[in-house]
Amino acid sequence: MRSFSGKIVVFTALPLEYRAMRARVRGPERIDHESGTIFERGRIPGTNWEVYLARVGQGNQGAAILTERAIQMIRPDAVFFTGIAGSMKHDVALGDVIVATRVFAYHGGKQEETFKTRPETWPASHRLEQAAHFAVLDPHWAQALLPADRETPEVHFKPIAAGEVVVNAQTSMLQDLLDVHYNGVAAIETEGGGFAGAASMADQVPALVIRGISDRADGSKQSTDSGGFQLIAADNAAALTIAAIQALTYPEPVGVELPASRSDTTGTPPIASALVGHQLEEPLSVAWRKELLRPWSSESATMEVHLLPEGSLRLPVRQMNQLRDELVSLGRSEGLFTATEEVSSVLETDFAAAYVRDSRQGRCVGLAVTRSGQRSCWESLPRSSSMHMPVLDPDHTEKRVAELLQLLLCLHDLPGTKFAPAVALDPAELLTVMSLEAARASNSAVLARNGGGGPVQVLPDEVWDAAIIGAAVPTIAEELTLRLMHHFRSPHNSR
C-alpha cells in the first residue's frame, strides 16, 4: 500500500469528456510529463484533494500506457476514468450513470468449433465504490454539480464491458457473444479494460470507472449523438466523479469540520476537537491477532491495528459468510495483499479472516472481522536486508497505522457506532528501533528492549465516532504511534 500523496488522477478519452471534468476543477494549471503527456492540475471545490486531469484518447492500449505513466509520475492515491458509454440494458436509460463494479475485457478467447471466452476482469476498488455509494445516498447529490434544469440522473452499480469495438447495431455476432457470456454487463466502452489493468499492475492503485449513457448501442447512435446525449452523459458522469471524490476521506485532516450537533467543540480548532475521545472506565475486550490465528513458531515482529465497536454487537452468520470473501477482495484492491500472493481465508464460529503467511519471506499479513464487530488487520514489520532483522521505524509505523485504520474503515458499515482503536507489536523482542533509511545503510543494530518484555499493547480504552476517525486519521495515527512507542520503551507497562 502506498503512502498518502493527497493526489487523484482522472482520465477521459474524448475532448467533451475532458471539458466536462475541467469545468468542475478549480484553478487548473498545465503540467508536462517528460514524455510529452500534458496534464492539468487543480482542486475539487469543497475538498483538499489535488486532482490531475489527463486525456488518453480512445482505445484500451492508449488508456493502459497513459494510466501507467501517470501513476509512475504522480503517485496518486486513486485513479478514475470518466466518460460516456453505450447501454446494454433496457432499464439503463440515456443520461443514466454507471459505476462499474467490475470491468470485463471481453476480447480474450480461443476459437475452436465454438468460441470459448477467456476474459480478463478487474473489480472496482471497494473504497472508491463505497465513496460513490455514499455520494448518491443524498437525493440532491447532483444539485450543485449539474444545470438547474436537469433532473438528477439514475445511478447504477453494475459491471461493464470494455473492448476495441464501438457497438452500434441491434443484432451482431458481438452482441450475441456479449449476451451469452457477459449478460450482466450494463454498458460497453473502449478504454476501461486498459485503464483497470494498468492500475491493478501498478501496486494495486485503487481505480474506478464511471460512465454516462450516451446511446443504446442499437443502431441509434447517430440520432442520440445529434440530440446532445453525448454532452449530457459526459456531464453526468463528471458530476458523479466529483461527488465520489468529495465523499472520499482526505488523508490529511486539513479544514475538518465536525458535525454541527457537537456543540461542545464550538470555538475549538477542528483537529484538536477530533482528538477528544471518550475515556472508558475499562478497556474493551480485544481479540488480539494470536487469539484469532495461531502464530507460527518462527514468526517475526508484527504490528496489529484494531477497531472495536462500543456496545454489544452480534453480526449475523449470513454477513460473516459474505465477509470472508469481501476481506480477500478488499485486501487485494487496497494493496494489503499483492496481486501474485495466494491469500487464505477462513470462517470460524466467531470470526472471518483473510491472510498471507510466507515463512521464507518472513511475511505475515491479514484482515479479520469478529462476530462482535471488531475489525483487525496486521502486517510484519519491514526487515533490513543487511541485518536480517525487523525494523521499528516510528515515522514508517505512524504512516502504516494511518493506512491500516483507513483500510479498517472500508469494512462493513455500522451506522452510528463509536470505535476504540488498539495497536500492538507481537512478538516485540527480536527487533531494532531506527529509521528504515539508516537500517539500509547499517550492518549492525542494537536489539531493542534487551530481547525481552513480551508483547506491547495499546489497549482500546478511548472511543471516537467513526466519522471523526475517518476525518482525522493521520492525527489519530500519530497519537496511537506515540502511545505505542511510549509503551514500547516501558517494558513493564503494556498500556
Side-chain angles (χ1 to χ4, degrees):
M1 191 182 297
R2 295 167 176 267
S3 298
F4 282 122
S5 67
K7 301 173 183 177
I8 287 174
V9 181
V10 181
F11 299 91
T12 64
L14 302 177
L16 68 93
E17 298 166 343
Y18 188 94
R19 288 193 289 268
M21 276 300 303
R22 191 180 189 275
R24 292 169 169 82
V25 173
R26 181 179 296 162
E29 60 176 337
R30 176 170 168 169
I31 304 292
D32 286 37
H33 188 273
E34 61 184 11
S35 66
T37 304
I38 298 174
F39 299 86
E40 285 192 288
R41 178 181 62 195
R43 297 277 180 181
I44 299 297
T47 81
N48 290 299
W49 287 107
E50 191 175 63
V51 174
Y52 290 72
L53 304 181
R55 192 173 80 82
V56 303
Q58 291 181 272
N60 285 292
Q61 183 176 2
I65 292 171
L66 292 185
T67 298
E68 183 179 12
R69 185 174 295 168
I71 289 172
Q72 291 299 317
M73 171 187 174
I74 298 167
R75 313 293 290 177
D77 296 324
V79 290
F80 290 80
F81 203 108
T82 185
I84 63 176
S87 173
M88 298 294 288
K89 295 291 183 183
H90 294 298
D91 60 348
V92 178
L94 297 176
D96 284 4
V97 180
I98 303 291
V99 177
T101 57
R102 186 171 291 274
V103 178
F104 289 96
Y106 62 81
H107 268 124
K110 182 179 183 181
Q111 183 67 59
E112 295 182 339
E113 292 183 5
T114 60
F115 184 78
K116 298 180 179 179
T117 60
R118 292 181 177 178
E120 290 189 85
T121 178
W122 299 273
S125 158
H126 179 77
R127 177 174 172 234
L128 302 190
E129 185 182 335
Q130 285 287 296
H133 268 293
F134 186 85
V136 300
L137 287 176
D138 180 359
H140 307 295
W141 69 267
Q143 199 168 58
L145 297 169
L146 291 174
D149 59 350
R150 188 179 303 169
E151 292 184 1
T152 298
E154 288 290 327
V155 179
H156 309 268
F157 291 80
K158 295 179 180 293
I160 66 170
E164 300 296 334
V165 177
V166 176
V167 177
N168 185 34
Q170 286 188 333
T171 59
S172 66
M173 291 179 64
L174 179 55
Q175 291 274 42
D176 292 341
L177 179 141
L178 293 172
D179 183 59
V180 171
H181 297 286
Y182 308 94
N183 187 256
V185 302
I188 187 168
E189 43 98 313
T190 56
E191 293 84 31
F195 162 78
S200 176
M201 289 187 289
D203 293 344
Q204 296 283 311
V205 176
L208 189 66
V209 177
I210 297 177
R211 294 285 186 171
I213 298 301
S214 62
D215 62 85
R216 293 192 173 280
D218 63 356
S220 62
K221 182 173 172 58
Q222 185 175 359
S223 174
T224 54
D225 286 358
S226 62
F229 280 100
Q230 276 196 333
L231 180 59
I232 292 171
D235 213 33
N236 290 352
L240 182 56
T241 303
I242 295 294
I245 293 172
Q246 289 174 335
L248 278 175
T249 302
Y250 185 71
E252 297 291 340
V254 178
V256 174
E257 294 183 8
L258 296 178
S261 60
R262 292 181 60 88
S263 58
D264 58 312
T265 62
T266 301
T268 59
I271 304 310
S273 300
L275 281 177
V276 176
H278 172 65
Q279 187 74 28
L280 300 172
E281 292 184 6
E282 293 290 336
L284 297 180
S285 176
V286 56
W288 300 104
R289 176 185 60 94
K290 63 184 178 184
E291 298 170 30
L292 296 172
L293 292 173
R294 196 174 185 86
W296 72 76
S297 58
S298 60
E299 191 170 286
S300 64
T302 300
M303 181 177 70
E304 52 192 280
V305 179
H306 309 270
L307 285 177
L308 290 94
E310 184 183 33
S312 300
L313 297 176
R314 188 69 170 168
L315 300 181
V317 173
R318 177 181 59 82
Q319 187 172 7
M320 296 300 294
N321 279 326
Q322 295 172 345
L323 280 169
R324 178 177 58 178
D325 296 329
E326 289 177 10
L327 291 173
V328 177
S329 176
L330 175 63
R332 286 201 188 279
S333 66
E334 296 300 319
L336 186 68
F337 309 130
T338 69
T340 57
E341 284 182 323
E342 182 177 346
V343 181
S344 302
S345 62
V346 62
L347 177 63
E348 299 290 348
T349 304
D350 292 322
F351 73 93
Y355 61 93
V356 170
R357 281 177 168 172
D358 186 341
S359 57
R360 293 171 299 177
Q361 300 295 325
R363 176 167 161 79
C364 173
V365 60
L367 267 172
V369 178
T370 70
R371 288 200 69 188
S372 64
Q374 175 182 318
R375 312 172 181 198
S376 304
C377 56
W378 58 88
E379 65 179 16
S380 303
L381 291 184
R383 299 175 70 90
S384 164
S385 57
S386 58
M387 296 181 294
H388 304 288
M389 181 184 294
V391 177
L392 179 61
D393 177 340
D395 290 338
H396 175 268
T397 299
E398 181 182 324
K399 291 178 182 178
R400 293 304 297 150
V401 169
E403 290 167 353
L404 295 178
L405 281 174
Q406 286 279 18
L407 176 62
L408 293 180
L409 290 171
C410 291
L411 284 166
H412 61 290
D413 190 25
L414 296 172
T417 304
K418 293 182 178 181
F419 288 95
V423 183
L425 288 173
D426 189 17
E429 294 86 4
L430 301 177
L431 59 92
T432 187
V433 181
M434 66 172 68
S435 72
L436 290 173
E437 184 177 354
R440 283 191 288 268
S442 176
N443 291 318
S444 62
V446 177
L447 192 65
R449 306 176 84 222
N450 297 317
V456 179
Q457 299 170 345
V458 177
L459 301 182
D461 58 4
E462 188 175 14
V463 296
W464 283 285
D465 291 324
I468 291 177
I469 296 175
V473 157
T475 310
I476 292 175
E478 179 185 14
E479 174 70 12
L480 293 173
T481 304
L482 288 171
R483 294 183 193 179
L484 181 71
M485 296 306 298
H486 171 73
H487 302 324
F488 181 81
R489 295 184 174 109
S490 304
H492 301 295
N493 178 9
S494 64
R495 293 183 58 191

